[in-house]
Amino acid sequence: MKPAAFLWLLLTSALSWTSHAADRGAAISAAAAATRYVTVAGDKIAYRRIGHGPTIILANRLRGTLDTWDPLFLDRLAAQYTVVTVDYPGIAYSEGKLPDNMADAAKFIDDFANAIKAERFVLLGWSWGGLVAQTYLLDHPQRVTHAILIGTNPPGQNEIPLQQVFLDRAFKPVNDLADEEVLFFEPASEASRAQAKASHTRIYARSDVAARIPSTPEEFAPYFKAAEGFRQDAEGRRDRLAQARTPILVISGDHDTSTAGQNWFPLIGKMQDAQYIFFSKTGHAPQHQHPVLISNYIHSFLSASH
């Protein structure tokens, strides 16, 4: 081979490798991911995308923002999937108005998926986002390949209500680590408190995280109204969920003072294609207490169920 041809081969191989690495998003972590914007129903909506592979869209909790997901959990998922986080309308980096009913919140997810050109995807919902995810998979079953429900309640009336100890801290304008231990972890467990501190440190490595978290009664009101409608269940979602054919993974902690995992016990045996993981000494954010283990469970679920 002539020297010029050899050099050209080396150059094109290097460019090909560089392009492949970029496509995989290998250099982008959740902590460093840039905020992107897309227009949804006339509103400028903020989202982030990391990883490579089948798409997982994450629906956030009450008061959750792009910044409040544990980046280690996102990074572990992004090793095998395209992970998309999004701010609801009117929340944090997004413009617009937060929907005050679950049907409209689910429609937002559908419109957002269209805007980012995600035809089929996995939908993961945490807490309030789990209510959104359940509504979406019932309203748009053709688009969701799998649903993952973390720290959330099923539709309708549930035996164990939200507890006062959660309410006492949930709506402070700013929650510190001590609040988070109560809200999302198991404060009686030394191991859980240690994981709370580690997760808090990872999340707050970004600047100005607290500044964008909803903090006023006016911002809370649409969350409450939508959740109450989900609980009243005039649409019969509880019965419809039991008949849903979409593979569903439910992940709960045994010390969830907001959406008790035990509320799934009457329903889980009636569901058509569901798996249930129940963690001991774990609170409302099992994916932040066990980010590596839960990402592995999610991969096993997605790999095994079709």
Side-chain angles (χ1 to χ4, degrees):
M1 180 180 296
K2 294 182 179 180
F6 179 69
L7 289 173
W8 175 251
L9 178 62
L10 285 178
L11 178 60
T12 55
S13 296
L15 288 172
S16 176
W17 182 89
T18 301
S19 175
H20 181 65
D23 288 345
R24 289 178 58 85
I28 302 175
S29 67
T35 303
R36 308 181 185 196
Y37 294 91
V38 68
T39 300
V40 178
D43 295 324
K44 185 178 179 182
I45 298 299
Y47 73 103
R48 294 179 186 146
R49 184 202 303 264
I50 60 172
H52 182 78
T55 297
I56 304 179
I57 296 176
L58 279 65
N60 216 335
R61 63 174 174 87
L62 183 150
R63 301 188 70 188
T65 74
L66 289 177
D67 297 331
T68 57
W69 292 99
D70 189 320
L72 177 57
F73 174 63
L74 300 183
D75 285 344
R76 293 292 298 200
L77 286 180
Q80 292 159 308
Y81 304 96
T82 299
V83 176
V84 179
T85 55
V86 59
D87 277 337
Y88 300 117
I91 300 300
Y93 299 86
S94 286
E95 298 175 347
K97 184 178 180 181
L98 180 68
D100 63 3
N101 68 80
M102 285 300 160
D104 286 346
K107 185 179 186 305
F108 164 74
I109 294 294
D110 198 54
D111 292 342
F112 172 71
N114 289 336
I116 64 169
K117 297 180 171 53
E119 294 300 324
R120 296 264 288 163
F121 52 91
V122 177
L123 185 57
L124 184 156
W126 173 26
S127 188
W128 195 84
L131 314 185
V132 178
Q134 291 172 71
T135 304
Y136 187 86
L137 75 88
L138 294 173
D139 291 354
H140 306 274
Q142 71 281 3
R143 297 194 71 175
V144 183
T145 64
H146 306 74
I148 301 163
L149 309 175
I150 300 178
T152 195
N153 270 332
Q157 305 293 326
N158 293 297
E159 181 179 355
I160 303 175
L162 185 150
Q163 297 178 33
Q164 188 62 43
V165 67
F166 187 91
L167 289 172
D168 289 343
R169 297 180 184 248
F171 305 114
K172 292 182 180 180
V174 177
N175 291 127
D176 59 17
L177 176 58
D179 293 330
E180 291 174 3
E181 290 175 355
V182 173
L183 293 171
F184 302 123
F185 295 83
E186 163 53 296
S189 164
E190 181 179 354
S192 186
R193 293 197 308 273
Q195 290 298 331
K197 182 177 181 179
S199 180
H200 179 91
T201 299
R202 291 190 294 265
I203 290 170
Y204 282 85
R206 273 192 186 261
S207 61
D208 297 326
V209 171
R212 294 186 181 272
I213 295 174
S215 60
T216 68
E218 292 76 18
E219 291 173 306
F220 300 157
Y223 287 114
F224 297 154
K225 185 176 180 181
E228 178 58 22
F230 190 81
R231 188 181 71 85
Q232 292 295 333
D233 196 24
E235 300 82 4
R237 293 188 180 114
R238 190 179 185 93
D239 290 339
R240 291 163 58 201
L241 185 66
Q243 299 306 313
R245 298 292 175 175
T246 303
I248 298 171
L249 175 63
V250 180
I251 302 173
S252 299
D254 72 333
H255 195 80
D256 187 336
T257 56
S258 174
T259 54
Q262 293 88 337
N263 285 331
W264 285 92
F265 291 172
L267 188 64
I268 201 76
K270 301 176 182 178
M271 297 174 73
Q272 304 303 307
D273 191 355
Q275 300 177 35
Y276 186 53
I277 299 174
F278 196 55
F279 283 91
S280 63
K281 298 182 180 179
T282 300
H284 188 50
Q287 80 282 13
H288 289 189
Q289 182 166 332
H290 309 286
V292 175
L293 182 57
I294 286 184
S295 64
N296 289 341
Y297 279 140
I298 288 172
H299 178 59
S300 296
F301 166 69
L302 295 178
S303 299
S305 54
H306 303 284

